[in-house]
Amino acid sequence: METDSKRDLELEGKSVRRLSEVVAELSDEAAKRFLAAYDEAYAKAVFEAVFLRESLLAKVGGAVRRDELIEVTSAYERWERRTRACVLDPSPHAEVSTSLDELQKGDASFAELAKARREATATQGKAARGLRRSGRKSKPRVGAAKGLDAKAA
């Protein structure tokens, strides 16, 4: 397996990565969302990880959390890419997405997020329709004009 020499270590023939290094370049809010998704994915056995004695930086929500060593597999790398894309997504939908864990803990409201999603989708749809208009009137269809004249006669 190819590893990124800056971030990955070899341990017992496995490629591993520190969780602290994974979240280091994320903003406070993005790190918090990433860690919520991380806990959910670990619980579903998407990847394997072990606790380390060191703690993560305080920027991950203020709570003391242990650093972890993650086994880097193709499944983990796919999960990390998708999750990173979601937490770093600048689109309007980024603010209306959450994790199941956040919903179950009550950190997010399903009703409020559903309303915000509907509004974000409607706003995005209006913007897309506005971009498609060129300002020119469309040409009438040939058959449609004949049909109107025939009815008037």
Side-chain angles (χ1 to χ4, degrees):
M1 172 189 317
E2 262 183 46
T3 62
D4 181 0
S5 59
K6 293 180 192 172
R7 297 176 12 166
D8 293 349
L9 306 165
E10 285 290 325
L11 182 68
E12 297 176 359
K14 297 177 181 181
S15 179
V16 292
R17 188 177 297 161
R18 283 180 168 265
L19 178 59
S20 57
E21 293 176 0
V22 173
V23 297
E25 63 267 4
L26 298 175
S27 69
D28 293 350
E29 186 59 32
K32 184 178 176 183
R33 293 178 64 205
F34 184 91
L35 289 170
Y38 175 90
D39 290 338
E40 191 175 316
Y42 179 79
K44 292 180 181 176
V46 173
F47 52 84
E48 295 297 325
V50 296
F51 284 119
L52 298 173
R53 287 196 177 108
E54 297 89 2
S55 296
L56 286 177
L57 300 173
K59 77 174 200 173
V60 293
V64 176
R65 181 184 174 120
R66 286 190 168 186
D67 198 356
E68 297 184 38
L69 204 56
I70 308 159
E71 182 179 2
V72 179
T73 62
S74 57
Y76 170 77
E77 288 181 326
R78 273 192 312 275
W79 174 85
E80 183 184 346
R81 264 193 313 275
R82 285 192 307 254
T83 304
R84 215 174 254 287
C86 288
V87 299
L88 296 174
D89 185 4
S91 75
H93 298 294
E95 296 303 316
V96 297
S97 63
T98 189
S99 71
L100 178 59
D101 192 46
E102 288 174 321
L103 287 167
Q104 288 174 333
K105 286 181 182 176
D107 293 341
S109 165
F110 186 90
E112 289 175 15
L113 287 169
K115 180 181 176 187
R117 180 185 183 278
R118 185 164 311 285
E119 290 169 358
T121 304
T123 302
Q124 186 180 19
K126 287 178 185 175
R129 283 191 301 273
L131 291 174
R132 281 185 259 155
R133 292 190 178 145
S134 63
R136 294 181 289 168
K137 291 185 177 181
S138 60
K139 295 180 182 177
R141 290 183 290 163
V142 176
K146 288 181 182 177
L148 291 174
D149 291 340
K151 287 181 183 177

